[in-house]
């Protein structure tokens, strides 16, 4: 085995996918599987594909390029940059948008390649990340409908992200109303109403999803087994699909207080210390460029993460009942933020078990 490693349990992941598939199906909602947290790692997307997932979504076009299974639909979740519109038309079927100038650029690129690109217009329902304000919906749709090789495929909204706003039934109903106003005004049918992510799972478990909502974009709950509005565990789902392991490279009894005058640490911060006398300190071979210690939880409850530089993490193992030695592995529970950074770090091995 090579370390540090992010381990992904295949059967637990397949099981979690199945639970969300059943939950969505029984509520008449489709979903696209969001792959951004694990950088669309191809061994992991294969598990999704094998489980029957055909709609894949990511915020980065680089990640969507890696997903090449037959009969799939690829969604770009982050509004395209003007510099990437050619790639967006080439490597995605649907993109989420909020700027007419960008959609117009997509239209031009789509005409060149004789493709039709599908656009989901994002409405900002108060989370204050992407989206047009609701009162601009009709005008914006009017413009989109004029653009060649662009299909106005639906509307969407995002919650639980920048503002942490929790979606309510009232807010989802408003999205549906906006959709129906657009449909009536232009005499069209919007195929997709997609107002949410893992923060909208509670509408499925309580069977309170407004009727016309027919899509969600789902990442986190599949990976971590918890919805993100109230952090509730979803019955039957595994919370430990992922696990992080790092190896001890030094283990010594040292004081808890540094010796000498204290200046700035490697990151320009002035550290403070509590004198706890001598302690047994382990150094594990991972650092800030792999993961932050605030975002991982040791499985050994008697050890404490006390600090980190770029490539070293210092652990107080004084109170552990395990007699650690150099070469031993410390294991950690991960969160959304740590899966993200561990997946991004090329130093961390991704291991499927
Ligand atoms: C990341 C993202 C999602 C998925 O969110 P999860 O909380 O992981 O389910 C959905 N929509 C957009 C626009 C996103 O950026």
């Amino acid at each position: 085995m090579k370390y540090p490693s992010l381990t992904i349990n295949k059967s637990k992941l397949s099981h979690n996918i199945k639970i969300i598939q059943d939950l969505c199906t029984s509520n008449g909602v489709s979903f696209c599987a969001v792959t951004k947290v694990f950088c669309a790692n191809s061994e992991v997307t294969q598990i999704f594909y094998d489980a029957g997932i055909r709609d894949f979504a990511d915020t980065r076009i680089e990640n969507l390029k890696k997903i090449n299974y037959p009969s799939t639909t690829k969604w770009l979740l982050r509004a395209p940059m003007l510099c990437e519109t050619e790639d967006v038309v080439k490597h995605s079927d649907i993109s989420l948008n909020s700027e007419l100038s960008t959609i117009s650029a997509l239209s031009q690129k789509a005409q060149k390649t004789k493709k039709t690109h599908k656009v989901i217009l994002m409405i900002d329902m108060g989370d204050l990340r992407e989206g047009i304000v609701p009162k601009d919906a009709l005008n914006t749709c009017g413009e989109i409908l004029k653009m060649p090789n662009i299909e106005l495929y639906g509307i969407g909204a995002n919650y639980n992200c920048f503002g942490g706003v929790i979606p309510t039934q009232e807010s989802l109903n408003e999205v549906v109303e906006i959709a129906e106003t657009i449909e009536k005004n232009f005499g069209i049918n919007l195929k997709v109403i997609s107002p949410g992510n893992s923060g909208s799972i509670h509408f499925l478990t309580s069977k309170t999803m407004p009727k016309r909502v027919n899509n969600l974009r789902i990442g986190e709950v599949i990976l971590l087994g918890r919805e993100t509005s109230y952090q509730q565990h979803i019955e039957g789902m595994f919370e430990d699909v992922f696990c992080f392991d790092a190896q001890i490279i030094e283990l010594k009894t040292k004081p808890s207080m540094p010796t000498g005058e204290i200046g700035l640490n490697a990151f320009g911060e002035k550290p403070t210390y509590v004198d706890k006398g001598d302690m047994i300190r382990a150094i594990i071979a991972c650092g800030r460029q792999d993961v932050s210690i605030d975002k991982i939880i040791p499985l050994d409850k008697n050890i404490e993460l006390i600090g980190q530089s770029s490539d070293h993490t210092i652990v107080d193992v004084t109170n552990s009942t395990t007699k650690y030695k150099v070469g031993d592995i410390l294991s950690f529970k991960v969160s959304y933020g740590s899966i993200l950074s561990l997946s991004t770090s090329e130093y961390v091995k991704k291991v499927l078990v």
Side-chain angles (χ1 to χ4, degrees):
M1 262 308 270
K2 295 278 187 215
Y3 301 97
S5 66
L6 181 66
T7 303
I8 303 135
N9 185 301
K10 288 194 257 189
S11 61
K12 287 182 179 175
L13 180 56
S14 307
H15 175 87
N16 279 5
I17 297 168
K18 174 88 170 57
I19 296 221
I20 292 301
Q21 282 170 322
D22 291 349
L23 196 53
C24 284
T25 305
S26 64
N27 281 273
V29 170
S30 66
F31 73 98
C32 49
V34 179
T35 54
K36 66 188 184 205
V37 198
F38 54 89
C39 303
N41 175 295
S42 49
E43 286 182 287
V44 182
T45 57
Q46 183 71 51
I47 298 169
F48 280 80
Y49 188 78
D50 291 345
I53 297 293
R54 293 296 176 267
D55 282 73
F56 288 92
D58 205 291
T59 36
R60 310 270 176 164
I61 202 73
E62 291 86 344
N63 289 347
L64 289 180
K65 279 185 192 174
K66 295 192 254 175
I67 301 171
N68 284 306
Y69 305 108
S71 330
T72 54
T73 302
K74 300 200 273 184
W75 302 51
L76 181 67
L77 296 181
R78 187 177 67 183
M81 294 181 269
L82 282 172
C83 65
E84 65 179 355
T85 47
E86 192 174 333
D87 264 0
V88 171
V89 168
K90 194 168 170 193
H91 298 286
S92 72
D93 306 287
I94 303 172
S95 62
L96 275 45
N97 282 274
S98 56
E99 291 290 352
L100 283 173
S101 55
T102 307
I103 304 169
S104 170
L106 291 170
S107 165
Q108 282 166 23
K109 296 297 189 303
Q111 288 170 65
K112 270 193 196 149
T113 50
K114 303 200 167 35
K115 277 190 171 178
T116 298
H117 186 74
K118 297 184 172 76
V119 160
I120 292 185
L121 179 64
M122 294 300 281
I123 319 276
D124 195 320
M125 297 304 292
D127 194 63
L128 298 183
R129 202 178 68 182
E130 72 275 41
I132 61 164
V133 294
K135 71 170 174 47
D136 291 340
L138 281 182
N139 282 341
T140 310
C141 288
E143 293 303 315
I144 297 172
L145 289 167
K146 287 182 204 156
M147 295 184 194
N149 299 55
I150 293 291
E151 179 186 348
L152 178 60
Y153 194 56
I155 64 168
N158 205 43
Y159 300 86
N160 314 84
C161 273
F162 176 73
V165 171
I166 294 177
T168 59
Q169 220 180 2
E170 201 180 11
S171 181
L172 295 196
N173 279 325
E174 248 175 84
V175 176
V176 171
E177 258 170 54
I178 294 169
E180 290 179 343
T181 308
I182 295 167
E183 290 179 325
K184 218 179 283 159
N185 196 74
F186 298 104
I188 56 170
N189 171 45
L190 294 174
K191 301 218 173 57
V192 165
I193 301 180
S194 178
N197 51 32
S198 297
S200 286
I201 295 297
H202 59 285
F203 297 113
L204 303 179
T205 49
S206 62
K207 303 225 171 277
T208 53
M209 187 63 98
K211 254 212 188 72
R212 279 235 35 209
V213 171
N214 61 3
N215 182 268
L216 293 173
R217 308 169 308 269
I218 302 181
E220 180 165 351
V221 66
I222 295 175
L223 309 176
L224 292 169
R226 286 178 175 264
E227 54 81 32
T228 57
S229 274
Y230 305 99
Q231 287 75 46
Q232 292 303 304
H233 171 72
I234 305 300
E235 206 184 318
M237 292 187 86
F238 291 106
E239 294 191 6
D240 58 351
V241 172
F242 291 79
C243 178
F244 176 56
D245 295 312
Q247 189 162 41
I248 297 176
I249 54 171
E250 183 188 295
L251 188 91
K252 297 199 186 300
T253 300
K254 292 186 188 179
S256 44
M257 287 290 283
T259 342
E261 191 188 344
I262 308 288
L264 302 182
N265 69 10
F267 287 86
E269 305 145 353
K270 186 145 189 161
T272 51
Y273 300 95
V274 183
D275 193 352
K276 297 185 194 166
D278 277 0
M279 53 166 71
I280 308 172
R281 297 162 73 98
I283 300 177
I284 51 174
C286 65
R288 285 204 201 192
Q289 63 176 325
D290 308 300
V291 68
S292 160
I293 48 173
D294 310 328
K295 303 224 156 35
I296 50 174
I297 299 166
L299 295 191
D300 181 341
K301 295 196 168 48
N302 299 314
I303 67 179
E304 193 190 346
L305 300 169
I306 54 179
Q308 227 175 0
S309 56
S310 315
D311 306 289
H312 298 75
T313 297
I314 318 285
V315 191
D316 176 3
V317 300
T318 314
N319 298 323
S320 178
T321 51
T322 307
K323 289 269 159 281
Y324 289 109
K325 56 186 190 309
V326 169
D328 282 353
I329 305 304
L330 298 185
S331 296
F332 301 88
K333 197 177 147 155
V334 291
S335 63
Y336 186 83
S338 47
I339 297 175
L340 182 67
S341 64
L342 290 165
S343 296
T344 310
S345 170
E346 59 175 285
Y347 305 107
V348 177
K349 279 73 187 167
K350 282 71 180 179
V351 183
L352 278 87
V353 293

